[in-house]
Amino acid sequence: MCIRDSETRTGKTFIALSIAHRMGARRVLFVTKLKAMSSVLSDFGKSGYGYEFDLLSVDSAHKIGGKYDLAIVDEAHCIGAFPRASRRSKLLRKALKGTPVIFLSATPTPESWSMLFHQLWVSPYSPYRHYRSFYAWARDYVTIKERRFGGVTVRDYSHADQARIQADLE
């Protein structure tokens, strides 16, 4: 498992494609947003790498079939909902069981560091794979606060321990 977070237009796609080539992958799955697919396909064509390359929209995760040597999930923050897993992350987790994953994003935690749990939950190599759920993880990594919305008290899981998570990811 690898997370590549760097600014927009800095070559994250080329780096991930190069990693796939260097690791000797024969079949690679690239999952991204629909709008980015033509750019990713162009980058793969320019790379000259000879591995089998399947490109899917993140909204088509239910179509993933077969085994891959590597999966690359672009715009990974889109699967990082919390406290419950998004439909996308559930589908990816099921489809990529046992597959190494490279996560790409210019903004892996746009709302909260709690978003990383379900992004990484997709990978069997997550440093948090021993946690049964987000809530179990949150007990160790989040300062859980209560907030009131329209007379209803809800738990706020957005205050994750950034320093501790960053240390885990090193």
Side-chain angles (χ1 to χ4, degrees):
M1 186 199 79
C2 172
I3 300 173
R4 177 66 190 183
D5 66 331
S6 53
E7 295 193 27
T8 304
R9 298 280 173 240
T10 57
K12 290 182 295 293
T13 299
F14 275 119
I15 290 168
L17 295 172
S18 176
I19 290 170
H21 173 71
R22 290 175 184 224
M23 68 180 276
R26 290 189 299 260
R27 188 165 188 227
V28 175
L29 172 67
F30 200 106
V31 179
T32 191
K33 288 183 171 181
L34 189 60
K35 289 171 56 174
M37 290 178 74
S38 62
S39 175
V40 170
L41 199 53
S42 173
D43 288 350
F44 178 70
K46 290 174 189 173
S47 75
Y49 299 135
Y51 48 78
E52 185 179 333
F53 183 74
D54 292 343
L55 178 63
L56 276 178
S57 161
V58 69
D59 292 315
S60 298
H62 61 282
K63 295 180 181 179
I64 296 172
K67 291 293 266 173
Y68 292 92
D69 299 312
L70 178 68
I72 301 167
V73 178
D74 190 23
E75 304 291 346
H77 58 276
C78 292
I79 63 170
F82 72 94
R84 294 194 176 103
S86 68
R87 179 179 174 272
R88 291 171 172 172
S89 62
K90 289 177 184 177
L91 290 170
L92 285 172
R93 179 182 169 104
K94 182 178 177 184
L96 301 178
K97 196 171 199 159
T99 304
V101 181
I102 296 174
F103 297 98
L104 306 176
S105 181
T107 54
T109 58
E111 296 172 26
S112 164
W113 281 79
S114 293
M115 292 180 73
L116 280 176
F117 178 81
H118 281 119
Q119 288 177 55
L120 304 181
W121 177 77
V122 165
S123 171
Y125 303 101
S126 168
Y128 308 121
R129 65 188 166 274
H130 60 280
Y131 286 97
R132 291 186 53 222
S133 68
F134 171 84
Y135 299 104
W137 175 84
R139 281 192 291 275
D140 289 344
Y141 283 87
V142 178
T143 301
I144 302 167
K145 298 182 178 186
E146 290 189 346
R147 299 177 77 185
R148 293 190 53 79
F149 290 103
V152 177
T153 302
V154 296
R155 290 187 174 193
D156 178 0
Y157 292 93
S158 63
H159 303 280
D161 186 340
Q162 177 181 344
R164 184 170 175 206
I165 293 167
Q166 285 178 311
D168 289 349
L169 298 178
E170 292 298 319

